[in-house]
Amino acid sequence: WALERWCRLNGKDPKKVFVWQCALCNNQFRVEESKAKGEWESFDTFKDMFEKRMDHTSHILSLMAPWDCPVNTTRIWCVFEKHMAVVKNHKFD
């Protein structure tokens, strides 16, 4: 519902808006699998992968839930994503 509302308020057709969800595009769960095998992946591996994918994005929409204490403001990876959006001069809502 939040994405549809954002589209409506910004004059966008929801059928023409493409959504990229980090957890699905950057397999963060792979880290846990690697750790279980005693393997390690550096932060730079994820940073580089994220940056390459973010280069094809021009607008970041952060969905805040729950409204009174959004989870994505407490997770370091989510804060890093917002930081990268600012560094790369992406429009951010």
Side-chain angles (χ1 to χ4, degrees):
W1 187 86
L3 185 56
E4 277 186 59
R5 182 174 185 274
W6 180 87
C7 287
R8 189 176 60 251
L9 292 173
N10 288 277
K12 306 284 184 192
D13 179 352
K15 294 177 182 175
K16 295 181 179 178
V17 172
F18 293 90
V19 176
W20 173 68
Q21 185 177 354
C22 182
L24 301 176
C25 295
N26 267 347
N27 187 349
Q28 299 165 19
F29 301 103
R30 188 180 66 220
V31 173
E32 295 303 319
E33 293 170 3
S34 295
K35 283 183 359 186
K37 297 177 197 171
E39 300 169 356
W40 176 255
E41 268 192 83
S42 73
F43 171 75
D44 287 335
T45 300
F46 281 101
K47 180 182 176 287
D48 293 344
M49 189 182 332
F50 181 73
E51 266 188 294
K52 287 177 188 169
R53 292 189 171 126
M54 195 175 210
D55 285 342
H56 301 286
T57 304
S58 61
H59 195 124
I60 308 296
L61 176 63
S62 183
L63 301 177
M64 310 295 267
W67 180 249
D68 59 341
C69 185
V71 175
N72 66 355
T73 62
T74 64
R75 297 185 63 220
I76 193 65
W77 184 259
C78 296
V79 172
F80 171 72
E81 291 172 342
K82 291 172 182 66
H83 166 76
M84 291 300 298
V86 170
V87 167
K88 293 194 159 282
N89 294 315
H90 290 312
K91 185 172 180 191
F92 189 82
D93 285 327

